[in-house]
Amino acid sequence: MISYSRWTTKRHSCTFSQIVLSFVVYNVALFSLISYKGTKWKEKSSIKVRTFLEKDDSIPGSRVDSLCESSPQIPDGFTLVILNHNRTDTLLNGLKHWDHVRNIKKVLVVWNNPGVKIPDDESIRTASPHLDIAFLPQNTNSLNNRFRVFSHILTEAVLMMNDDCIVEDDYVQMALQAWQTMPYCIVGFHGRGVSASYQYQWNPAKNYSMVLNVGFLHREYLKMYQNAPPELLDIVDKYTNCEDILMNFLIANHTGSFSGVLVETPHGVQSVFSTHKSLSIRPDHADQRTKCIRQFVEYFGYLPLKGNPFIIAPYNAFAHLKRQ
Amino acid sequence: MISYSRWTTKRHSCTFSQIVLSFVVYNVALFSLISYKGTKWKEKSSIKVRTFLEKDDSIPGSRVDSLCESSPQIPDGFTLVILNHNRTDTLLNGLKHWDHVRNIKKVLVVWNNPGVKIPDDESIRTASPHLDIAFLPQNTNSLNNRFRVFSHILTEAVLMMNDDCIVEDDYVQMALQAWQTMPYCIVGFHGRGVSASYQYQWNPAKNYSMVLNVGFLHREYLKMYQNAPPELLDIVDKYTNCEDILMNFLIANHTGSFSGVLVETPHGVQSVFSTHKSLSIRPDHADQRTKCIRQFVEYFGYLPLKGNPFIIAPYNAFAHLKRQ
């Protein structure tokens, strides 16, 4: 009997190439969906490309071959990005938790406290002896800073986190694995909706169309966010709110599909002990977010958000069910 | 204010190109994982490719540009493939259900009844007045026929179905949407596991590592299956069993990740009324599947299956929970 590894190499190189290209074609198709809003792309939408079915093996260096020749090194793990404003104790309490979470390659603290000194090394080391942490002082206290393209981000996966939130390690790892299967979605722990009259919905009934900041996203989306028109970024600064909503709008507009997938776990997102209050408990928080949604819709010219009917949950959360 | 569509076109073409390439790179990476079993690919694993970060805009016709020029037409919807052996009444009962399910582009009945006439047109039309159905008579009653590369399959998504199984329309659509976000996985309704001693597990406790035939998969995987070594396909024929297990082995070996994602719904997969018995109630069914697993492991030289800790479920199945 021949060994399987030899078989894989010798007999499957063609099939392998074809499957790689089929997913390349799939992704090109997915991202080409943006074309329906862009004139330039729209003009090209009727072009039929060569697919793997039409591959001509006699052409050396064809696209199929050139793609298969490469084997890029994608860094594993993820970068944890924590936004902080005026509550250092909360941040340090949170870091105690993250110190025990696996696969964190780097922690970036977006230090939205202009003119305020960052915590001393000893406080940071006491809270988190193991993590590689960088504090990134910002010139302005803007929520848009959360999505800056920091050069420290070397992983494709970025976990966006509020400083007063933590998630259990097992579910962080589960969400990371889920994100790796759908890296063009936000995979996160808070789902929200929009009503027919563009009202922000805390707990939509049928499906959800936004996944908020406690979640994984691809670092490429940070670039997309920072390249968004200033008028959109200004809305975020005007309300000191809605940066997460804008990210969902941009992703949904870009992919033509839903922006994120919600993860439900037994305990959900937990709160770090904090003596400070969160922005989201402001009495006008929901009203502000409705205003943002309506202004974004006006700017985009349509509502790009799509309802997602499914969630991700731990397999063992269903262990009590009689499976088929 | 400029319109959003113009902004998308004029200001974002570069970002769009970059994101397309980033996912191309991602998929190349994912599928390059096969390299760790293949000597030829292994040798190349240290090659660093040009990524979008290194893109040289001065090079005309670079990979980034050439990928963005195309906008392929991917057919929507899915092809329903139903395997049938010796129970025409069951099949026709099932077709009555599928007649009301959305997004079916074509139904293929793999007619594993050599020498037996297919049902007459009137019976088929009575059961299913709306569907485009093709009966595909097979020369042998082999379970490997289930995964043949039929030219009738024009969609990327293929829903593999047993003739005595049905799934409610809403959950078929939900699973299709989920599959579209992770097209290199099987997205299906039956999860199974393997113990440390390579025993087949009906209801594994912690995670599952196989997703069986009632589920979506990419049509490219049919090619991979048919190109598998005859020794593996012979094991399926020897037991008249395990074709679904082999598919999971092939996919997991190919991607280096888990082969599928399980969908849990309130009612799961339902049975069509049938006077015939299913293969899976044979008393030696589980034993046979354990034997298959052990023979596959011996052939592959390792167990490629990976445990998946998460499932997909309908959002509204959690409607009773207090959401965060």
Side-chain angles (χ1 to χ4, degrees):
Chain A
M1 189 183 285
I2 60 166
S3 83
Y4 194 78
S5 66
R6 277 187 288 120
W7 165 67
T8 304
T9 307
K10 293 184 180 164
R11 300 184 55 171
H12 260 215
S13 57
C14 179
T15 303
F16 173 64
S17 306
Q18 289 170 346
I19 294 201
V20 166
L21 187 60
S22 92
F23 288 112
V24 168
V25 168
Y26 173 85
N27 279 319
V28 171
L30 184 71
F31 286 92
S32 296
L33 284 169
I34 196 172
S35 64
Y36 73 95
K37 292 302 293 177
T39 317
K40 186 178 164 195
W41 294 105
K42 202 169 185 176
E43 283 166 6
K44 292 184 176 174
S45 66
S46 61
I47 297 171
K48 176 104 175 57
V49 290
R50 274 166 46 91
T51 70
F52 54 87
L53 294 172
E54 302 163 89
K55 178 178 181 276
D56 182 353
D57 283 307
S58 66
I59 303 174
S62 72
R63 190 193 296 172
V64 179
D65 299 323
S66 63
L67 281 169
C68 285
E69 278 164 15
S70 57
S71 180
Q73 304 292 303
I74 307 283
D76 292 329
F78 65 93
T79 306
L80 176 66
V81 175
I82 303 177
L83 186 75
N84 177 266
H85 174 67
N86 270 354
R87 43 184 187 182
T88 309
D89 53 345
T90 309
L91 173 74
L92 293 175
N93 281 334
L95 287 176
K96 283 180 194 162
H97 167 78
W98 295 110
D99 200 55
H100 300 284
V101 170
R102 292 162 288 166
N103 289 317
I104 299 179
K105 294 298 160 192
K106 183 125 192 159
V107 181
L108 304 185
V109 177
V110 182
W111 187 249
N112 251 0
N113 306 296
V116 178
K117 239 178 124 241
I118 64 170
D120 58 80
D121 279 356
E122 199 188 321
S123 308
I124 299 169
R125 278 301 125 224
T126 304
S128 169
H130 304 105
L131 291 174
D132 176 9
I133 305 176
F135 278 72
L136 306 169
Q138 304 299 303
N139 294 327
T140 57
N141 173 24
S142 166
L143 288 175
N144 290 320
N145 293 336
R146 181 196 287 271
F147 295 129
R148 281 186 61 193
V149 188
F150 298 110
S151 60
H152 308 70
I153 301 176
L154 300 177
T155 59
E156 296 203 301
V158 179
L159 177 56
M160 289 289 163
M161 191 58 54
N162 298 329
D163 54 6
D164 58 346
C165 292
I166 54 174
V167 179
E168 290 160 277
D169 180 33
D170 279 353
Y171 299 127
V172 171
Q173 306 308 322
M174 186 190 82
L176 176 62
Q177 283 189 273
W179 178 84
Q180 285 164 338
T181 69
M182 47 186 105
Y184 36 82
C185 291
I186 302 172
V187 174
F189 297 86
H190 292 151
R192 298 289 183 267
V194 177
S195 75
S197 60
Y198 302 143
Q199 199 145 18
Y200 182 68
Q201 289 180 312
W202 187 269
N203 197 356
K206 200 175 152 201
N207 55 42
Y208 58 95
S209 52
M210 293 185 281
V211 175
L212 304 190
N213 271 326
V214 177
F216 285 97
L217 51 74
H218 198 288
R219 67 172 174 181
E220 278 303 294
Y221 285 139
L222 305 178
K223 285 187 195 165
M224 185 166 70
Y225 188 94
Q226 294 301 333
N227 287 328
E231 292 90 334
L232 292 171
L233 301 178
D234 286 350
I235 294 170
V236 170
D237 280 335
K238 182 169 74 181
Y239 295 108
T240 314
N241 203 333
C242 311
E243 83 288 3
D244 43 5
I245 296 177
L246 177 55
M247 181 59 97
N248 278 270
F249 267 69
L250 291 167
I251 294 176
N253 176 67
H254 192 71
T255 64
S257 183
F258 39 76
S259 53
V261 179
L262 176 62
V263 177
E264 295 270 11
T265 65
H267 308 125
V269 175
Q270 296 173 288
S271 295
V272 176
F273 173 76
S274 174
T275 53
H276 304 269
K277 288 177 180 170
S278 164
L279 288 178
S280 63
I281 63 159
R282 290 177 295 190
D284 55 350
H285 181 69
D287 281 352
Q288 281 183 349
R289 287 166 87 76
T290 294
K291 283 179 190 161
C292 288
I293 288 169
R294 289 174 179 167
Q295 288 170 44
F296 292 153
V297 167
E298 192 185 338
Y299 195 91
F300 279 71
Y302 78 118
L303 179 73
L305 303 177
K306 302 272 189 305
N308 187 339
F310 68 86
I311 58 145
I312 280 170
Y315 170 75
N316 57 16
F318 285 80
H320 59 287
L321 295 181
K322 183 189 164 299
R323 291 184 197 274
Q324 293 186 307
Chain B
M1 188 183 285
I2 60 166
S3 83
Y4 194 78
S5 66
R6 277 188 287 119
W7 165 67
T8 304
T9 307
K10 293 183 181 165
R11 300 182 55 171
H12 259 216
S13 56
C14 179
T15 302
F16 172 64
S17 306
Q18 289 170 347
I19 294 201
V20 166
L21 187 60
S22 92
F23 287 112
V24 168
V25 169
Y26 173 85
N27 280 319
V28 171
L30 184 71
F31 285 92
S32 296
L33 285 169
I34 197 173
S35 64
Y36 73 94
K37 292 303 292 178
T39 317
K40 186 178 164 195
W41 294 105
K42 202 169 184 177
E43 283 165 6
K44 293 184 176 173
S45 67
S46 61
I47 297 171
K48 175 105 175 58
V49 290
R50 275 165 46 92
T51 70
F52 54 88
L53 294 171
E54 302 163 88
K55 178 177 180 276
D56 182 354
D57 284 307
S58 66
I59 303 174
S62 72
R63 190 193 297 172
V64 179
D65 299 323
S66 63
L67 282 168
C68 284
E69 279 164 16
S70 57
S71 181
Q73 304 291 305
I74 307 282
D76 291 329
F78 65 93
T79 306
L80 176 65
V81 175
I82 303 176
L83 186 75
N84 177 266
H85 174 67
N86 270 354
R87 42 184 188 184
T88 309
D89 53 345
T90 308
L91 173 74
L92 294 174
N93 280 334
L95 287 176
K96 284 180 194 162
H97 167 78
W98 294 110
D99 200 55
H100 300 284
V101 171
R102 291 162 289 166
N103 289 317
I104 299 179
K105 294 297 160 192
K106 183 124 192 160
V107 181
L108 304 185
V109 177
V110 181
W111 188 249
N112 251 1
N113 306 297
V116 177
K117 241 180 122 237
I118 64 170
D120 59 81
D121 279 356
E122 198 188 322
S123 308
I124 300 169
R125 279 301 124 225
T126 304
S128 170
H130 304 105
L131 291 175
D132 176 9
I133 305 175
F135 278 72
L136 306 169
Q138 304 299 303
N139 294 328
T140 57
N141 173 25
S142 166
L143 288 175
N144 289 320
N145 293 336
R146 180 196 287 271
F147 295 130
R148 281 186 61 193
V149 188
F150 298 110
S151 60
H152 308 71
I153 300 176
L154 300 177
T155 59
E156 296 203 300
V158 179
L159 177 56
M160 288 289 162
M161 192 58 55
N162 297 330
D163 54 6
D164 59 345
C165 292
I166 54 174
V167 179
E168 290 160 277
D169 180 33
D170 279 353
Y171 299 126
V172 171
Q173 306 308 321
M174 186 190 82
L176 176 62
Q177 283 188 274
W179 179 84
Q180 285 164 338
T181 69
M182 48 186 105
Y184 37 81
C185 291
I186 302 172
V187 174
F189 297 86
H190 292 152
R192 298 290 183 267
V194 177
S195 75
S197 60
Y198 302 143
Q199 199 146 18
Y200 182 68
Q201 289 180 311
W202 187 269
N203 197 357
K206 201 176 152 200
N207 56 42
Y208 58 95
S209 52
M210 294 185 280
V211 175
L212 304 190
N213 271 326
V214 177
F216 286 97
L217 52 74
H218 198 288
R219 67 172 175 182
E220 278 304 293
Y221 285 139
L222 305 178
K223 285 187 194 166
M224 185 166 69
Y225 187 94
Q226 294 301 333
N227 287 328
E231 293 89 334
L232 292 171
L233 302 178
D234 286 350
I235 294 170
V236 170
D237 280 335
K238 182 168 73 180
Y239 295 108
T240 314
N241 203 333
C242 311
E243 83 288 4
D244 43 5
I245 296 177
L246 177 55
M247 181 59 98
N248 278 270
F249 267 69
L250 291 167
I251 294 176
N253 175 67
H254 193 71
T255 65
S257 184
F258 40 75
S259 53
V261 178
L262 176 62
V263 177
E264 295 270 11
T265 65
H267 308 125
V269 175
Q270 296 173 288
S271 295
V272 177
F273 172 75
S274 174
T275 53
H276 303 269
K277 288 177 180 169
S278 164
L279 288 179
S280 63
I281 63 159
R282 290 177 295 189
D284 55 350
H285 181 69
D287 281 352
Q288 281 183 349
R289 287 166 87 76
T290 294
K291 284 179 189 160
C292 288
I293 288 169
R294 289 175 179 168
Q295 288 171 44
F296 292 153
V297 167
E298 191 186 338
Y299 195 90
F300 279 70
Y302 78 118
L303 179 73
L305 303 178
K306 302 272 189 305
N308 187 339
F310 67 86
I311 58 145
I312 279 170
Y315 170 75
N316 57 15
F318 285 80
H320 59 288
L321 295 181
K322 183 189 165 299
R323 291 184 197 274
Q324 293 186 307

